[in-house]
Amino acid sequence: MMRYGRGQTCNEIFSPAGLCFEMIMYKEARACLQVDKTILDPAVGEGQFPCAELVMKMFYNVERLDEELALRALKSLYGIDIQAASVERAREHLLLTLQDAYRFFTGKEFRRLDEAKEIVEENMIVGDSFKLIPEWANPQGALF
């Protein structure tokens, strides 16, 4: 579904959670499930993809999941969005996802929430991806 963004300057496409999980499970994307593998969402919106990545990184490492590993998985996720309200929701969404997934997988409460908040504040930022990373603006660039 597509609609005009807040302020009528941006279009937003909202990705259903199920679609995010399905895309992550493609054979070519499974390398991203390594705990420390860095993932960047250049149009993070409300954080559907990073949240799905976090859950899957925790799931694929559930046998050794502890708070340190969960923080490492969280630290590997980055996002940029042009809308501050969306980034704030992405941060909140990631923190809730971390707590819920940790409780689901371990049966314990996640206690290092202050550290997690610092990570999402640093890793989820407001900005224009095309201006922050100029190579993305050139489709003939080194990324492809």
Side-chain angles (χ1 to χ4, degrees), residues 22-77:
E22 188 174 331
M23 291 175 72
I24 291 166
M25 294 312 300
Y26 276 109
K27 182 179 177 183
E28 294 78 16
R30 289 193 191 150
C32 297
L33 298 175
Q34 298 169 20
V35 173
D36 296 311
K37 189 72 154 182
T38 300
I39 307 292
L40 169 65
D41 187 339
V44 74
E46 296 182 1
Q48 287 290 81
F49 278 102
C51 287
E53 284 285 348
L54 179 61
V55 170
M56 295 309 292
K57 285 180 180 219
M58 293 169 75
F59 173 76
Y60 272 84
N61 294 280
V62 72
E63 308 83 28
R64 57 191 185 107
L65 182 60
D66 60 11
E67 289 187 346
E68 185 63 34
L69 189 134
L71 286 172
R72 283 176 44 209
L74 183 65
K75 191 176 272 192
S76 73
L77 303 172

Side-chain angles (χ1 to χ4, degrees), residues 43-115:
V44 74
E46 296 182 1
Q48 287 290 81
F49 278 102
C51 287
E53 284 285 348
L54 179 61
V55 170
M56 295 309 292
K57 285 180 180 219
M58 293 169 75
F59 173 76
Y60 272 84
N61 294 280
V62 72
E63 308 83 28
R64 57 191 185 107
L65 182 60
D66 60 11
E67 289 187 346
E68 185 63 34
L69 189 134
L71 286 172
R72 283 176 44 209
L74 183 65
K75 191 176 272 192
S76 73
L77 303 172
Y78 292 83
I80 303 169
D81 201 278
I82 202 163
Q83 296 187 70
S86 293
V87 171
E88 189 56 38
R89 280 192 290 284
R91 291 171 177 161
E92 293 168 7
H93 193 186
L94 271 166
L95 292 173
L96 289 172
T97 299
L98 173 69
Q99 292 173 292
D100 290 347
Y102 189 80
R103 186 180 315 111
F104 180 81
F105 291 133
T106 67
K108 301 174 188 173
E109 295 297 317
F110 186 83
R111 297 173 196 237
R112 295 171 67 179
L113 199 53
D114 288 339
E115 291 174 69

Side-chain angles (χ1 to χ4, degrees), residues 112-131:
R112 295 171 67 179
L113 199 53
D114 288 339
E115 291 174 69
K117 285 179 184 178
E118 286 180 30
I119 291 168
V120 298
E121 288 290 324
E122 288 180 22
N123 290 10
M124 299 292 138
I125 63 170
V126 177
D128 184 336
S129 296
F130 289 112
K131 291 179 182 172

